[in-house]
């Protein structure tokens, strides 16, 4: 038996078997990892984490009701919908009636908030806040018990006012 192991031919055969086994093992691992990456990849318009079979369940722009005087709402039905594991939301840009960016995004958002509060919307208070004055304006969330909106504007000069709209029932 020892004489057989000392033979060069036997050593070449054993090395060949080990190399072939390593290559096959690496190929199987590569195919498994590629298959897992394509099965969990996001669909267009969605971020990873959302189930691929789930259709976007987001409120329409009309759920905000009437527009404040001098302003208009704009939202692309497909491009402005973002989904994560927690659910989907729509981004709504607030523009002038002519479709121009307003001069001050924060003031525009406050105007929309005042308009909605006049129509019965309520301020959602985060934990630890006892009154709306305890919450900074850029962190204020409004709801009509069906839909909730939050300010997602950057607040920079010349930047549009942008609201995030989603259903208040987070189990949707």
């Amino acid at each position: 038996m020892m004489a057989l192991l000392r033979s060069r031919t036997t050593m070449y055969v054993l090395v060949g078997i080990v190399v072939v086994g390593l290559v096959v093992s690496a190929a199987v691992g590569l195919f498994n990892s590629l298959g897992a990456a394509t099965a969990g990849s996001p669909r267009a318009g969605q971020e990873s984490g959302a189930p691929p079979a789930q259709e976007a369940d987001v409120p329409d722009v009309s759920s905000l009701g009437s527009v404040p005087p001098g302003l208009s709402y704009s939202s692309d039905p497909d491009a402005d919908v973002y989904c994560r594991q927690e659910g989907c939301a729509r981004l709504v840009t607030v523009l002038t009636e002519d479709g121009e960016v307003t001069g001050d995004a924060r003031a525009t958002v406050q105007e929309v908030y005042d308009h909605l509060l006049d129509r019965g919307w309520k301020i959602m208070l985060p934990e630890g806040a006892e009154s709306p004055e305890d919450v900074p304006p850029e962190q204020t969330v409004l709801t009509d018990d069906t839909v909730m909106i939050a300010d997602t504007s950057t607040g920079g000069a010349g930047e549009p006012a942008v609201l995030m709209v989603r259903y208040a029932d987070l189990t949707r």
Side-chain angles (χ1 to χ4, degrees), residues 144-166:
D144 68 349
D145 295 326
T146 303
V147 174
M148 63 182 183
I149 65 168
D151 179 15
T152 58
S153 305
T154 59
E159 295 290 323
V162 181
L163 300 172
M164 180 184 66
V165 181
R166 67 180 297 172

Side-chain angles (χ1 to χ4, degrees), residues 25-170:
S25 174
V28 168
L30 178 66
F31 288 129
N32 285 341
S33 68
L34 289 177
T38 56
S41 63
R43 294 190 307 171
Q46 289 186 337
E47 294 183 19
S48 63
Q54 174 187 0
E55 288 298 317
D57 185 21
V58 293
D60 195 42
V61 177
S62 62
S63 64
L64 295 176
S66 63
V67 183
L71 298 176
S72 66
Y73 297 138
S74 172
S75 180
D76 185 283
D78 297 321
D80 289 337
V81 174
Y82 297 91
C83 294
R84 291 194 170 181
Q85 192 168 356
E86 305 86 39
C88 297
R90 174 182 306 282
L91 294 182
V92 177
T93 306
V94 183
L95 304 168
T96 65
E97 285 181 326
D98 301 329
E100 303 288 324
V101 174
T102 59
D104 183 5
R106 297 282 181 227
T108 303
V109 169
Q110 190 59 50
E111 185 177 344
V112 171
Y113 278 10
D114 292 341
H115 179 77
L116 293 172
L117 287 169
D118 291 343
R119 279 155 182 71
W121 287 58
K122 298 173 278 212
I123 296 176
M124 295 177 67
L125 296 177
E127 288 183 34
E130 295 182 13
S131 70
E133 290 79 31
D134 295 340
V135 183
E138 61 273 2
Q139 294 178 5
T140 301
V141 177
L142 298 182
T143 184
D144 68 349
D145 295 326
T146 303
V147 174
M148 63 182 183
I149 65 168
D151 179 15
T152 58
S153 305
T154 59
E159 295 290 323
V162 181
L163 300 172
M164 180 184 66
V165 181
R166 67 180 297 172
Y167 285 113
D169 178 13
L170 299 179

Side-chain angles (χ1 to χ4, degrees), residues 4-19:
L4 191 59
L5 290 175
R6 290 185 194 151
S7 164
R8 286 188 179 194
T9 308
T10 305
M11 289 309 232
Y12 289 139
V13 170
L14 287 175
V15 168
I17 290 172
V18 168
V19 168

